[in-house]
Amino acid sequence: MEKVARGSLLGIEHLEAAEIAGILKLARQMDTRKPRPLLRGKRILLLFYEASTRTRSSFEIAAQSLGAATTLVLSSGSSIEKGESLLDTVYTLRAVGADLIVIRHPNAGAPQFIATHLDIPVINAGDGMHEHPTQALLDAYTILRHKKTITGLNVAIVGDIYHSRVARSAVQLLSKLRAKITLCGPPEFLPEVATTLAPGLQISRTVEDAIRGADVVMVLRVQKERLAGMNVSLDDYITRYQVTLPRLRLAKKDAIIMHPGPIIRGLELTWEVADCRQSVIVEEVRNGVPVRMAVLTRALGGRR
Ligand code: CP
């Protein structure tokens, strides 16, 4: 990997299990509403080239909870609309005093690219179909609020694996923590090559087989335009892969159901599943704040 500023978080791929454990431990210490001005005087730039509700708001709240100042730059309404390049945009943000840049971009590799041109940490808030590392960290954090350990857990990941940066980061992180992962989705969304993402991955062609005996059922977002682009009919997807209450009953009794959001009720999961007792979907969003506080503190070396 090319040299980047210490504290950057560009993906899960290059994180050691011990570093993951360290971030999760720090997040537990951050998990209070007590003011914690560890980053007072720091300036955090949130650079979003794609829509976001959860990631953007939780990074902003995390930064402000740590006493940092935040500035949001969106592709619409900024000079990006006038054709300014990504590199010139981040040089501009550095020149106005950014100490750290959080970036979401539709192109895989954009965070890595800017990180190699900057002397400040860069945090990947989702890049194309590549990675969404803070989502994987908050998912692990959420699992650990319900299960003693991730090692040995049966995790079923259901949906559009191929296009999902959430799946790519989750698979890498959960594999490093030695979960047993089964991927499930239509063949168009789940090529055999997916098993090379991490050692020991299983593929299941039926959602029933994937969910049976699972401790964790992670449902992914499915976009109608992607179904159309891959010639998968919406009705067929719903019939074969939608996570429903009868299907969820195949999982362990204490299984939790997760989804990174935004959820499309009636497509990848039913209303009943989204709101059921086992659903931790809202809790995942909540946990985004302490986890992102930990990631920012690690990046900027805030005194603990
Ligand atoms: N999970 C997630 O990244 O949601 P947003 O797109 O709303 O940030």
Side-chain angles (χ1 to χ4, degrees):
M1 196 163 84
E2 283 181 89
K3 204 164 165 45
V4 299
R6 200 180 148 89
S8 294
L9 179 61
L10 303 172
I12 298 296
E13 191 183 350
H14 300 291
L15 277 188
E16 305 284 340
E19 289 177 281
I20 294 168
I23 295 171
L24 298 178
K25 183 174 172 201
L26 184 54
R28 277 192 290 279
Q29 292 164 17
M30 300 287 175
D31 204 348
T32 97
R33 291 181 74 99
K34 212 170 56 180
R36 205 176 267 272
L38 300 170
L39 301 185
R40 186 178 286 146
K42 299 290 186 188
R43 295 176 182 145
I44 293 179
L45 263 293
L46 306 166
L47 177 58
F48 277 69
Y49 281 76
E50 263 188 5
S52 167
T53 300
R54 280 148 284 272
T55 312
R56 190 180 114 183
S57 60
S58 59
F59 262 119
E60 197 160 359
I61 290 169
Q64 291 174 3
S65 304
L66 291 163
T70 56
T71 301
L72 176 64
V73 175
L74 302 175
S75 48
S76 89
S78 70
S79 288
I80 297 164
E81 275 191 336
K82 301 176 195 163
E84 188 162 52
S85 73
L86 173 60
L87 212 45
D88 285 325
T89 299
V90 297
Y91 285 154
T92 302
L93 300 180
R94 179 66 180 119
V96 297
D99 294 303
L100 177 149
I101 294 178
V102 174
I103 180 170
R104 170 168 288 190
H105 200 282
N107 294 344
Q112 169 79 33
F113 173 69
I114 66 166
T116 57
H117 287 83
L118 291 171
D119 59 348
I120 54 173
V122 172
I123 308 294
N124 180 359
D127 62 327
M129 289 161 48
H130 177 223
E131 280 228 37
H132 194 350
T134 55
Q135 179 70 44
L137 287 162
L138 74 87
D139 284 339
Y141 186 84
T142 305
I143 293 171
L144 287 169
R145 285 176 63 98
H146 295 270
K147 309 286 172 195
K148 281 198 191 77
T149 175
I150 287 177
T151 302
L153 284 186
N154 292 311
V155 180
I157 304 182
V158 182
D160 179 0
I161 310 285
Y162 178 72
H163 294 105
S164 177
R165 58 193 176 208
V166 171
R168 210 155 273 109
S169 287
V171 160
Q172 303 212 39
L173 189 152
L174 296 172
S175 297
K176 284 173 199 257
L177 300 186
R178 292 185 283 136
K180 292 186 250 167
I181 302 169
T182 303
L183 305 175
C184 178
E188 294 84 349
F189 285 174
L190 182 47
E192 288 293 331
V193 70
T195 55
T196 60
L197 277 173
L201 286 184
Q202 300 292 321
I203 284 187
S204 171
R205 290 297 174 197
T206 73
V207 73
E208 289 80 6
D209 283 349
I211 292 180
R212 191 170 290 111
D215 299 286
V216 176
V217 179
M218 190 179 286
V219 186
L220 300 176
R221 188 159 75 106
V222 175
Q223 294 172 259
K224 285 183 186 166
E225 58 278 17
R226 292 238 154 103
L227 287 171
M230 294 286 205
N231 287 322
V232 179
S233 99
L234 181 61
D235 287 347
D236 191 44
Y237 185 88
I238 290 172
T239 306
R240 296 177 62 192
Y241 299 103
Q242 184 182 68
V243 177
T244 60
L245 276 185
R247 284 173 170 160
L248 189 57
R249 284 194 197 106
L250 297 169
K252 288 193 182 147
K253 277 200 166 44
D254 61 351
I256 56 171
I257 177 124
M258 309 182 77
H259 191 304
I263 58 174
I264 308 298
R265 292 168 186 256
L267 204 173
E268 63 262 20
L269 78 180
T270 58
W271 282 73
E272 295 77 19
V273 168
D275 298 328
C276 73
R277 184 183 50 80
Q278 291 157 274
S279 168
V280 296
I281 296 170
V282 176
E283 189 188 328
E284 289 173 79
V285 180
R286 179 205 164 278
N287 293 339
V289 175
V291 167
R292 288 177 173 125
M293 285 173 76
V295 167
L296 294 174
T297 302
R298 169 183 177 268
L300 288 172
R303 281 161 54 94
R304 316 253 168 94

PDB file of all heavy atoms in Angstrom, residues 51-56 104 132 135 260-262, ligand 1:
ATOM      1  N   ALA A  51     -25.133  10.632  -1.930  1.00  0.00           N
ATOM      2  CA  ALA A  51     -26.134  10.812  -0.882  1.00  0.00           C
ATOM      3  C   ALA A  51     -25.809   9.960   0.343  1.00  0.00           C
ATOM      4  O   ALA A  51     -25.213   8.887   0.223  1.00  0.00           O
ATOM      5  CB  ALA A  51     -27.506  10.406  -1.428  1.00  0.00           C
ATOM      6  N   SER A  52     -26.183  10.468   1.508  1.00  0.00           N
ATOM      7  CA  SER A  52     -25.995   9.720   2.753  1.00  0.00           C
ATOM      8  C   SER A  52     -26.849  10.352   3.833  1.00  0.00           C
ATOM      9  O   SER A  52     -26.964  11.580   3.893  1.00  0.00           O
ATOM     10  CB  SER A  52     -24.527   9.778   3.180  1.00  0.00           C
ATOM     11  OG  SER A  52     -24.369   9.321   4.509  1.00  0.00           O
ATOM     12  N   THR A  53     -27.434   9.538   4.667  1.00  0.00           N
ATOM     13  CA  THR A  53     -28.125  10.049   5.857  1.00  0.00           C
ATOM     14  C   THR A  53     -27.373   9.597   7.104  1.00  0.00           C
ATOM     15  O   THR A  53     -26.908  10.396   7.912  1.00  0.00           O
ATOM     16  CB  THR A  53     -29.579   9.541   5.907  1.00  0.00           C
ATOM     17  OG1 THR A  53     -30.250  10.002   4.732  1.00  0.00           O
ATOM     18  CG2 THR A  53     -30.302  10.053   7.150  1.00  0.00           C
ATOM     19  N   ARG A  54     -27.226   8.274   7.265  1.00  0.00           N
ATOM     20  CA  ARG A  54     -26.621   7.706   8.472  1.00  0.00           C
ATOM     21  C   ARG A  54     -25.145   8.073   8.632  1.00  0.00           C
ATOM     22  O   ARG A  54     -24.720   8.592   9.671  1.00  0.00           O
ATOM     23  CB  ARG A  54     -26.728   6.164   8.426  1.00  0.00           C
ATOM     24  CG  ARG A  54     -28.043   5.603   8.821  1.00  0.00           C
ATOM     25  CD  ARG A  54     -28.314   4.310   8.046  1.00  0.00           C
ATOM     26  NE  ARG A  54     -28.691   4.700   6.708  1.00  0.00           N
ATOM     27  CZ  ARG A  54     -29.940   4.969   6.355  1.00  0.00           C
ATOM     28  NH1 ARG A  54     -30.910   4.795   7.224  1.00  0.00           N
ATOM     29  NH2 ARG A  54     -30.241   5.387   5.138  1.00  0.00           N
ATOM     30  N   THR A  55     -24.366   7.806   7.600  1.00  0.00           N
ATOM     31  CA  THR A  55     -22.909   7.980   7.720  1.00  0.00           C
ATOM     32  C   THR A  55     -22.567   9.453   7.935  1.00  0.00           C
ATOM     33  O   THR A  55     -21.769   9.801   8.804  1.00  0.00           O
ATOM     34  CB  THR A  55     -22.227   7.450   6.440  1.00  0.00           C
ATOM     35  OG1 THR A  55     -22.768   6.156   6.152  1.00  0.00           O
ATOM     36  CG2 THR A  55     -20.732   7.352   6.610  1.00  0.00           C
ATOM     37  N   ARG A  56     -23.206  10.298   7.128  1.00  0.00           N
ATOM     38  CA  ARG A  56     -22.905  11.728   7.201  1.00  0.00           C
ATOM     39  C   ARG A  56     -23.285  12.308   8.558  1.00  0.00           C
ATOM     40  O   ARG A  56     -22.498  12.983   9.218  1.00  0.00           O
ATOM     41  CB  ARG A  56     -23.678  12.432   6.077  1.00  0.00           C
ATOM     42  CG  ARG A  56     -23.288  13.839   5.874  1.00  0.00           C
ATOM     43  CD  ARG A  56     -24.111  14.427   4.761  1.00  0.00           C
ATOM     44  NE  ARG A  56     -24.977  15.466   5.294  1.00  0.00           N
ATOM     45  CZ  ARG A  56     -25.867  16.133   4.572  1.00  0.00           C
ATOM     46  NH1 ARG A  56     -26.056  15.829   3.295  1.00  0.00           N
ATOM     47  NH2 ARG A  56     -26.579  17.079   5.111  1.00  0.00           N
ATOM     48  N   ARG A 104     -16.936  10.312   1.023  1.00  0.00           N
ATOM     49  CA  ARG A 104     -17.754   9.295   0.337  1.00  0.00           C
ATOM     50  C   ARG A 104     -17.708   9.636  -1.141  1.00  0.00           C
ATOM     51  O   ARG A 104     -17.898  10.788  -1.530  1.00  0.00           O
ATOM     52  CB  ARG A 104     -19.198   9.308   0.820  1.00  0.00           C
ATOM     53  CG  ARG A 104     -20.073   8.418  -0.066  1.00  0.00           C
ATOM     54  CD  ARG A 104     -21.421   8.151   0.493  1.00  0.00           C
ATOM     55  NE  ARG A 104     -21.347   7.238   1.623  1.00  0.00           N
ATOM     56  CZ  ARG A 104     -22.413   6.686   2.188  1.00  0.00           C
ATOM     57  NH1 ARG A 104     -23.618   6.976   1.736  1.00  0.00           N
ATOM     58  NH2 ARG A 104     -22.279   5.866   3.205  1.00  0.00           N
ATOM     59  N   HIS A 132     -16.707  -0.023   2.876  1.00  0.00           N
ATOM     60  CA  HIS A 132     -17.395   0.908   3.782  1.00  0.00           C
ATOM     61  C   HIS A 132     -16.933   0.514   5.192  1.00  0.00           C
ATOM     62  O   HIS A 132     -17.658  -0.098   5.969  1.00  0.00           O
ATOM     63  CB  HIS A 132     -18.907   0.752   3.611  1.00  0.00           C
ATOM     64  CG  HIS A 132     -19.725   1.850   4.230  1.00  0.00           C
ATOM     65  ND1 HIS A 132     -19.197   2.814   5.067  1.00  0.00           N
ATOM     66  CD2 HIS A 132     -21.051   2.135   4.113  1.00  0.00           C
ATOM     67  CE1 HIS A 132     -20.167   3.637   5.441  1.00  0.00           C
ATOM     68  NE2 HIS A 132     -21.296   3.252   4.874  1.00  0.00           N
ATOM     69  N   GLN A 135     -18.881   1.173   8.499  1.00  0.00           N
ATOM     70  CA  GLN A 135     -20.112   0.382   8.613  1.00  0.00           C
ATOM     71  C   GLN A 135     -19.777  -1.000   9.177  1.00  0.00           C
ATOM     72  O   GLN A 135     -20.467  -1.514  10.069  1.00  0.00           O
ATOM     73  CB  GLN A 135     -20.780   0.245   7.240  1.00  0.00           C
ATOM     74  CG  GLN A 135     -22.061  -0.580   7.249  1.00  0.00           C
ATOM     75  CD  GLN A 135     -23.225   0.104   7.939  1.00  0.00           C
ATOM     76  OE1 GLN A 135     -23.465   1.273   7.748  1.00  0.00           O
ATOM     77  NE2 GLN A 135     -23.976  -0.639   8.752  1.00  0.00           N
ATOM     78  N   PRO A 260     -27.704  -2.477   6.851  1.00  0.00           N
ATOM     79  CA  PRO A 260     -26.960  -1.210   6.953  1.00  0.00           C
ATOM     80  C   PRO A 260     -27.815   0.017   6.691  1.00  0.00           C
ATOM     81  O   PRO A 260     -27.447   1.125   7.085  1.00  0.00           O
ATOM     82  CB  PRO A 260     -25.886  -1.353   5.858  1.00  0.00           C
ATOM     83  CG  PRO A 260     -26.490  -2.301   4.862  1.00  0.00           C
ATOM     84  CD  PRO A 260     -27.309  -3.260   5.666  1.00  0.00           C
ATOM     85  N   GLY A 261     -28.972  -0.183   6.038  1.00  0.00           N
ATOM     86  CA  GLY A 261     -29.820   0.938   5.674  1.00  0.00           C
ATOM     87  C   GLY A 261     -29.271   1.639   4.424  1.00  0.00           C
ATOM     88  O   GLY A 261     -28.096   1.499   4.100  1.00  0.00           O
ATOM     89  N   PRO A 262     -30.091   2.384   3.719  1.00  0.00           N
ATOM     90  CA  PRO A 262     -31.524   2.517   3.965  1.00  0.00           C
ATOM     91  C   PRO A 262     -32.268   1.242   3.585  1.00  0.00           C
ATOM     92  O   PRO A 262     -31.919   0.595   2.617  1.00  0.00           O
ATOM     93  CB  PRO A 262     -31.920   3.683   3.035  1.00  0.00           C
ATOM     94  CG  PRO A 262     -30.892   3.696   1.958  1.00  0.00           C
ATOM     95  CD  PRO A 262     -29.628   3.202   2.563  1.00  0.00           C
TER      96      PRO A 262
HETATM   97  N1   CP B   1     -25.372   2.601   5.749  1.00  0.00           N
HETATM   98  C1   CP B   1     -25.123   3.765   5.103  1.00  0.00           C
HETATM   99  O1   CP B   1     -24.028   4.005   4.589  1.00  0.00           O
HETATM  100  O2   CP B   1     -26.192   4.628   5.063  1.00  0.00           O
HETATM  101  P1   CP B   1     -26.142   6.067   4.394  1.00  0.00           P
HETATM  102  O3   CP B   1     -25.994   5.880   2.908  1.00  0.00           O
HETATM  103  O4   CP B   1     -27.457   6.713   4.762  1.00  0.00           O
HETATM  104  O5   CP B   1     -24.967   6.801   4.950  1.00  0.00           O
END
